[in-house]
Amino acid sequence: MKMTEMFSYTACRQLSQMFFAVFFFHMSEYILAIAFHGSQSVTLRSLLISKNYILAMLFSMMEYIVEIVLFPGSKDFWWISNVGLVMVIAGEIIRKSAILTAGRSFTHIIKVCHEEHHELITHGVYGFVRHPSYCGFLIWSVGTQIMLCNPMSTIGFAFVVWHFFAERITYEEYFLKEFFGIRYEEYAQRVPSGVPFVK
């Protein structure tokens, strides 16, 4: 086992990109939540770090370590890694655009009661997809694994994140139809969800 591979240029670059991407994603989510909702209304849940998320990230790190030690050449496909980096950046831009466009109407927890400041947002990035924050996170999360050249985690993240949002969209849109009625139904008919194979 070549442990020196763990300190190679490939590993240092890919892992530093990964750690920065994860740090920036979660800290910016937390800061924006405070900016729009105030520190008293924001908890650590706004960092979007759950038990399942931590387990998924640990698995991806284990896959990376095993593969770079046993098959170091599998991580040297820089065109693949760079595609992942572009996806990470694009996913961040899409998701943060969604948060900034929605403002106070954006929350990390699905609202089951209509609040006064909760508006139906259909302009900006919401004019292209109904759930740009989910679209952005899906692209970002899969991109992190492509960036690491992790084949198993790429497939796993794509399936798990897609399945999570497919269920969440169905649940969330039930309440959006309750809140906004025909306006939301017409909006949903003309604008795609933003998550593949989810109407």
Side-chain angles (χ1 to χ4, degrees), residues 51-63:
K51 178 182 175 182
N52 290 336
Y53 177 82
I54 292 172
L55 289 174
M57 284 298 181
L58 287 175
F59 179 84
S60 77
M61 287 296 99
M62 287 176 58
E63 179 187 355

Side-chain angles (χ1 to χ4, degrees), residues 97-146:
S97 295
I99 296 174
L100 292 171
T101 301
R104 292 192 66 200
S105 294
F106 184 92
T107 58
H108 290 110
I109 301 170
I110 293 174
K111 294 294 184 182
V112 297
C113 296
H114 190 220
E115 298 179 356
E116 186 176 342
H117 65 267
H118 192 184
E119 301 175 5
L120 176 59
I121 309 298
T122 60
H123 63 278
V125 70
Y126 289 86
F128 299 98
V129 291
R130 301 196 307 277
H131 299 280
S133 66
Y134 300 163
C135 174
F137 185 82
L138 178 60
I139 294 170
W140 178 88
S141 63
V142 174
T144 62
Q145 301 311 304
I146 295 176

Side-chain angles (χ1 to χ4, degrees), residues 173-184:
E173 292 199 336
Y174 169 81
F175 293 103
L176 290 171
K177 290 173 184 175
E178 289 287 309
F179 300 159
F180 303 110
I182 190 67
R183 288 174 58 209
Y184 190 83

Side-chain angles (χ1 to χ4, degrees), residues 13-14 17 75-92 138-150 154:
R13 175 178 160 178
Q14 291 172 334
Q17 287 175 343
K75 302 299 180 184
D76 286 330
F77 293 99
W78 283 110
W79 69 272
I80 294 177
S81 186
N82 289 336
V83 166
L85 177 60
V86 169
M87 289 176 66
V88 167
I89 295 170
E92 271 285 8
L138 178 60
I139 294 170
W140 178 88
S141 63
V142 174
T144 62
Q145 301 311 304
I146 295 176
M147 187 170 65
L148 294 178
C149 296
N150 276 354
T154 296

